[in-house]
Amino acid sequence: MGTRHRVVRRPARRPWHPAASAPASPDVDEDVDVETVVDPARPWDVIVWDDPINLMSYVVWVFKRVFHFSEPVARKLMLEVHEQGRALVASEPREQAEMYLQQLHGYGLQATIQRAE
Amino acid sequence: MDVEVHEVVLPPALVVVLGRLIDELLALHDEPPGTSDPVWDRLYPVTSSATADDAEIRELVHPDLVTSRREALTAIAGHLETSVDSADGAVILLDDEQAVQFLGAVNDVRLALAARVQPALFRDPDVEWPPAAPSRRRAAMVELVDHLAWLQEQVLASLDAETHAHYDAVDHDKVQDSDARAGDDHDDGHDGEDTR
């Protein structure tokens, strides 16, 4: 391997943190009797969050490895993470979403899952 | 079937430093912190934005992850110990799986260093990286995070020439600018390093 020294930095801009990202409560008409029913078939979203340390090239590589995305798709999603602060990278049944989450955390990416809206 | 061999050449001093940092991560895994620890929290982060789901999913997902991360770090510590000196530096030969482990271990070390330098870095969006006017010790740690990024790039280049070729050829900021203009339909296999 070569000895060329090339360091890639990412800016520190991060709109918010996953732990603080719970959606705001929707307006509720209290006069209406609402029964909440959770559809077990509703998929779970896998969201990857920006952070200032993971390299862009590394994130692209992880996306390709975990999700088998093509290079352009992986790079597009990486840029979405970088510029928007997060990106929805998959929407799957819960068990599959948990497997993706485990792999992403294993590679050091900040990822969360949540029931799709 | 041919086995791909990845040759990693490191300055001997970096082998020593990386080995110590990996040992520190292994020690952390031997006795996981009972209270919040910035490194542990970064390696095993929040699993769901919904607080009610987080604890349940964490219990499902993280124990296996702790085991596999410990195994990978242990393996890489062994490779560092058995590196062979050459005129170019300390040489480590890795197969594909080992190279992936090595890449992940180096990433873990970078995340851990950053979390030690700026404990709130990964939970407070107002904390900047790199830190302004760090102490001498912290400046050295920041420099090491950057230096290990170079090492990651080298391993990535060996594992995945396609991705690395793109990042090798263009300035990242220019890529982002051109891709932002390209919009959502940018999936035609063209890497976007041209100027539009």
Side-chain angles (χ1 to χ4, degrees):
Chain A
M1 301 178 83
T3 56
R4 180 175 50 84
H5 188 135
R6 178 168 175 272
V7 175
V8 179
R9 288 195 183 89
R10 303 182 64 192
R13 179 180 56 76
R14 286 164 297 131
W16 58 77
H17 183 268
S21 66
S25 300
D27 293 334
V28 176
D29 183 347
E30 295 183 353
D31 293 334
V32 178
D33 184 16
V34 177
E35 181 183 0
T36 302
V37 178
V38 176
D39 178 3
R42 212 164 86 199
W44 285 63
D45 290 340
V46 182
I47 296 167
V48 173
W49 301 80
D50 192 24
D51 84 46
I53 301 302
N54 280 319
L55 301 174
M56 290 173 149
S57 51
Y58 179 71
V59 173
V60 170
W61 176 79
V62 171
F63 283 174
K64 289 167 66 176
R65 188 169 176 86
V66 171
F67 300 105
H68 305 287
F69 290 148
S70 66
E71 172 81 18
V73 170
R75 198 162 62 80
K76 180 172 175 288
L77 285 168
M78 178 279 294
L79 287 172
E80 190 176 326
V81 172
H82 179 64
E83 292 168 356
Q84 308 297 322
R86 64 177 185 171
L88 172 65
V89 294
S91 196
E92 298 283 351
R94 176 167 173 167
E95 191 173 345
Q96 180 65 51
E98 287 171 355
M99 288 178 63
Y100 282 146
L101 179 78
Q102 188 174 44
Q103 290 181 73
L104 293 168
H105 283 194
Y107 285 116
L109 271 59
Q110 292 196 109
T112 57
I113 60 173
Q114 62 189 40
R115 199 180 291 275
E117 293 181 4
Chain B
M1 186 175 146
D2 292 337
V3 176
E4 187 99 16
V5 176
H6 307 274
E7 184 184 63
V8 181
V9 183
L10 301 173
L14 186 58
V15 172
V16 174
V17 170
L18 191 54
R20 283 181 188 160
L21 292 168
I22 286 177
D23 285 347
E24 286 181 17
L25 281 182
L26 282 169
L28 189 68
H29 282 71
D30 287 340
E31 292 186 32
T35 56
S36 180
D37 175 88
V39 172
W40 191 262
D41 292 347
R42 180 58 190 85
L43 294 179
Y44 303 101
V46 170
T47 62
S48 179
S49 300
T51 306
D53 292 327
D54 180 46
E56 179 187 343
I57 298 170
R58 195 181 285 261
E59 276 188 31
L60 286 169
V61 164
H62 282 169
D64 287 348
L65 206 52
V66 170
T67 302
S68 59
R69 180 170 264 130
R70 185 207 298 267
E71 288 173 356
L73 290 168
T74 302
I76 298 308
H79 292 309
L80 290 170
E81 284 177 5
T82 57
S83 63
V84 177
D85 290 339
S86 76
D88 296 327
V91 178
I92 302 170
L93 299 179
L94 305 168
D95 63 24
D96 271 340
E97 185 183 350
Q98 292 165 340
V100 169
Q101 281 186 329
F102 188 88
L103 188 59
V106 173
N107 202 59
D108 288 345
V109 167
R110 293 182 66 242
L111 293 173
L113 283 167
R116 288 283 181 241
V117 171
Q118 298 276 68
L121 180 65
F122 299 105
R123 63 174 187 269
D124 182 350
D126 292 330
V127 176
E128 295 199 345
W129 184 270
S135 66
R136 192 171 169 182
R137 180 170 173 274
R138 288 187 175 194
M141 293 166 76
V142 170
E143 192 173 326
L144 187 53
V145 171
D146 281 352
H147 195 66
L148 291 174
W150 159 79
L151 177 57
Q152 271 194 292
E153 293 279 13
Q154 301 307 304
V155 179
L156 270 174
S158 188
L159 275 170
D160 182 2
E162 182 186 25
T163 293
H164 193 269
H166 176 84
Y167 286 87
D168 202 30
V170 294
D171 179 88
H172 287 182
D173 290 336
K174 288 178 183 172
V175 173
Q176 290 165 42
D177 290 346
S178 63
D179 278 23
R181 284 193 297 274
D184 290 339
D185 295 327
H186 187 60
D187 60 354
D188 57 2
H190 185 68
D191 274 343
E193 49 270 62
D194 59 337
T195 54
R196 280 182 274 260

